[in-house]
Amino acid sequence: MTPLERARSELKAHPLALDAGLAAGVLVCMVAGSFALPHGTDGVTWGIRTPAPLSLLLMLLAAAALVPRRRAPRTVLALTCTLSVVECVTGDPRAPVAMSAVIALYTVASTTDRTTTFRVGLLTMTVLTAAAMFFGPLPWYAQENLGVLAWTGIGATAGDAVRSRRAVVRAMRERAERAERTREEEARRRVAEERLRIARDLHDVVAHHIALVNVQAGVAAHVMDKRPDQAKEALAHVREAGRSALSELRATVGLLRQSGDPEAPTEPAPGLSLLEELADTFRSAGLPVEVARADQGTRLPAAVDLAAYRIVQEALTNVRKHAGAGARAEVSVVRVGPHIEVTVVDDGSGENAPENPAAETGGGHGLLGMRERVGALGGTLTTGPRYGGGFRVHAILPVSTTDNRVEGGTTAPGEPV
């Protein structure tokens, strides 16, 4: 902080001392001005004339009245105007006591609204000018009388200008603070959304692969003694599921790296183009899965493609965990107008299953994650038991009708997981 800024801050911290200094300066200017002879032989001349005792008293009182000008601006203005009127009527030649009234009028104008400034300023100019013209020792048309009118007008105008500038600066500061708060809130919201999205991805990846590992490990333990070849095959599936889980976890956690980190993942995000591979992993775990698609030629946005894949993944994981032995699953992906509909149904009874999704009122993290994914894209999700047994998951995701129907795959290459 520079010495000038330090001094300014000190003065702002002690406004009464600042006003006392201003009052002393005004007193000095009034006393010095009282020695100027306005009508000399060669124009305005300086002499050694001593002001009248009454003029000195009026100047002293007017200067002292300026000290509390911030606390009671209108009272100070009334007092200085009264002293100025007395000086205009009795002083010959006059002492510039009206200077204190100009400062007081400036204070009123800088601390009130424009309407009040106009009314008070007009009243002050009228009273002081009329007193100088009609009750003073000089002719009414004297320049000194017009000077009173000009200086009071300048005081009111300057005060109003300062008040307007302060209002503009205050509004700009408030807008800047509001914008800063908005940016901070937006940053916090984005961080929360990103954390929630990563948590959903981690849940989907871990739940899917751990379920497969659990099933295959159970099969291997069951047939280890009697059918070692089948146990080896099951353990191979366990190893493959573990490898896939680690790969997807590495890609998901890689999002937490800095953008310039060379180890950040660049592989495409999983999408409906990998739907058959996803179904194969469940088939190898003993869950029959049929896939039907009627979305040929549709290119989905990366977010919609990933959400559709995760919904199918989570729904099939729930089937494998909760539908019971002998359950079958059907997956359908259909383009209906401006939407893509993803449906996963099963015919499981829930027997020999630890949990049953149909019995959950609020759904677990998997169903909650599906709802959050679909809701973030502006779609709808319906889940519930089927008539006659089983469970149904039905998601409707919006797809833009322009520039989306192209030949080729459904994933946007290069999108990070």
Side-chain angles (χ1 to χ4, degrees), residues 13 38 57 60 90 108 125 127 132 148 191 210 234 248-249 265 292 295 309 320 325 341 347 374-375 395 399:
L57 178 61
L60 182 61
T90 60
V108 171
M125 287 187 291
V127 170
V148 173
V191 169
I210 294 301
E248 290 199 40
L249 284 173
D295 61 331
Y309 178 88
R320 190 66 189 84
E341 296 189 10
D347 58 358
V374 175
V399 180

Side-chain angles (χ1 to χ4, degrees), residues 207-285:
H208 165 61
H209 291 290
I210 294 301
L212 296 182
V213 168
N214 184 46
V215 170
Q216 296 294 350
V219 171
H222 182 69
V223 302
M224 179 67 71
D225 297 330
K226 297 180 180 180
R227 287 174 286 178
D229 293 340
Q230 188 175 353
K232 290 181 180 180
E233 183 180 353
L235 290 177
H237 288 308
V238 169
R239 183 176 59 184
E240 182 62 27
R243 185 183 298 112
S244 299
L246 289 176
S247 177
E248 290 199 40
L249 284 173
R250 187 180 300 110
T252 302
V253 176
L255 286 174
L256 302 178
R257 299 181 183 274
Q258 298 295 329
S259 59
D261 196 326
E263 298 182 8
T266 57
E267 62 270 14
L272 292 181
S273 62
L274 304 177
L275 187 56
E276 282 295 337
E277 298 179 14
L278 178 64
D280 287 339
T281 62
F282 285 96
R283 294 185 186 116
S284 65

Side-chain angles (χ1 to χ4, degrees), residues 308-332:
Y309 178 88
R310 294 301 189 195
I311 289 171
V312 174
Q313 184 185 52
E314 179 61 27
L316 292 178
T317 301
N318 286 339
V319 172
R320 190 66 189 84
K321 291 168 59 179
H322 307 303
R328 301 175 60 88
E330 296 179 2
V331 179
S332 65

Side-chain angles (χ1 to χ4, degrees), residues 11-350:
L11 290 177
K12 288 183 178 180
H14 302 86
L16 190 62
L18 178 62
D19 291 339
L22 175 64
V26 171
L27 177 61
V28 171
C29 292
M30 288 190 296
V31 172
S34 65
F35 286 92
L37 299 177
H39 298 288
T41 56
D42 297 325
V44 177
T45 59
W46 292 86
I48 55 174
R49 184 185 66 87
T50 302
L54 180 60
S55 297
L56 288 174
L57 178 61
L58 293 175
M59 287 187 286
L60 182 61
L61 293 176
L66 294 177
V67 176
R69 67 186 183 95
R70 297 176 192 262
R71 298 181 179 179
R74 299 191 186 187
T75 302
V76 171
L77 177 61
L79 182 57
T80 53
C81 284
T82 301
L83 297 174
S84 299
V85 168
V86 173
E87 172 60 23
C88 287
V89 174
T90 60
D92 187 19
R94 291 191 197 129
V97 180
M99 183 182 299
S100 61
V102 172
I103 300 298
L105 180 58
Y106 164 85
T107 304
V108 171
S110 64
T111 55
T112 58
D113 57 275
R114 180 162 295 175
T115 302
T116 303
T117 298
F118 177 78
R119 293 174 179 174
V120 174
L122 183 61
L123 178 62
T124 302
M125 287 187 291
T126 301
V127 170
L128 292 184
T129 305
M133 285 184 174
F134 299 110
F135 301 102
L138 298 177
W140 69 268
Y141 52 84
Q143 294 182 357
E144 287 80 355
N145 298 334
L146 298 178
V148 173
L149 177 66
W151 280 107
T152 50
I154 291 174
T157 304
D160 183 70
V162 170
R163 180 197 55 78
S164 300
R165 180 180 178 277
R166 289 174 180 170
V168 170
V169 172
R170 184 165 52 252
M172 293 176 61
R173 185 180 295 110
E174 290 176 354
R175 283 197 297 269
E177 293 175 353
R178 188 161 53 249
E180 183 65 24
R181 288 194 300 269
T182 302
R183 284 194 295 269
E184 292 176 355
E185 292 172 358
E186 178 68 14
R188 285 193 295 268
R189 185 186 65 82
R190 289 182 180 274
V191 169
E193 290 179 353
E194 185 66 12
R195 292 178 61 185
L196 182 60
R197 189 184 67 81
I198 293 176
R200 286 197 300 261
D201 286 343
L202 288 174
H203 172 271
D204 294 342
V205 171
V206 172
H208 165 61
H209 291 290
I210 294 301
L212 296 182
V213 168
N214 184 46
V215 170
Q216 296 294 350
V219 171
H222 182 69
V223 302
M224 179 67 71
D225 297 330
K226 297 180 180 180
R227 287 174 286 178
D229 293 340
Q230 188 175 353
K232 290 181 180 180
E233 183 180 353
L235 290 177
H237 288 308
V238 169
R239 183 176 59 184
E240 182 62 27
R243 185 183 298 112
S244 299
L246 289 176
S247 177
E248 290 199 40
L249 284 173
R250 187 180 300 110
T252 302
V253 176
L255 286 174
L256 302 178
R257 299 181 183 274
Q258 298 295 329
S259 59
D261 196 326
E263 298 182 8
T266 57
E267 62 270 14
L272 292 181
S273 62
L274 304 177
L275 187 56
E276 282 295 337
E277 298 179 14
L278 178 64
D280 287 339
T281 62
F282 285 96
R283 294 185 186 116
S284 65
L287 174 65
V289 179
E290 296 182 6
V291 178
R293 299 189 63 172
D295 61 331
Q296 292 79 7
T298 300
R299 183 182 180 85
L300 299 177
V304 176
D305 203 17
L306 176 61
Y309 178 88
R310 294 301 189 195
I311 289 171
V312 174
Q313 184 185 52
E314 179 61 27
L316 292 178
T317 301
N318 286 339
V319 172
R320 190 66 189 84
K321 291 168 59 179
H322 307 303
R328 301 175 60 88
E330 296 179 2
V331 179
S332 65
V333 181
V334 182
R335 173 69 181 267
V336 182
H339 300 91
I340 191 89
E341 296 189 10
V342 178
T343 306
V344 180
V345 297
D346 68 83
D347 58 358
S349 62

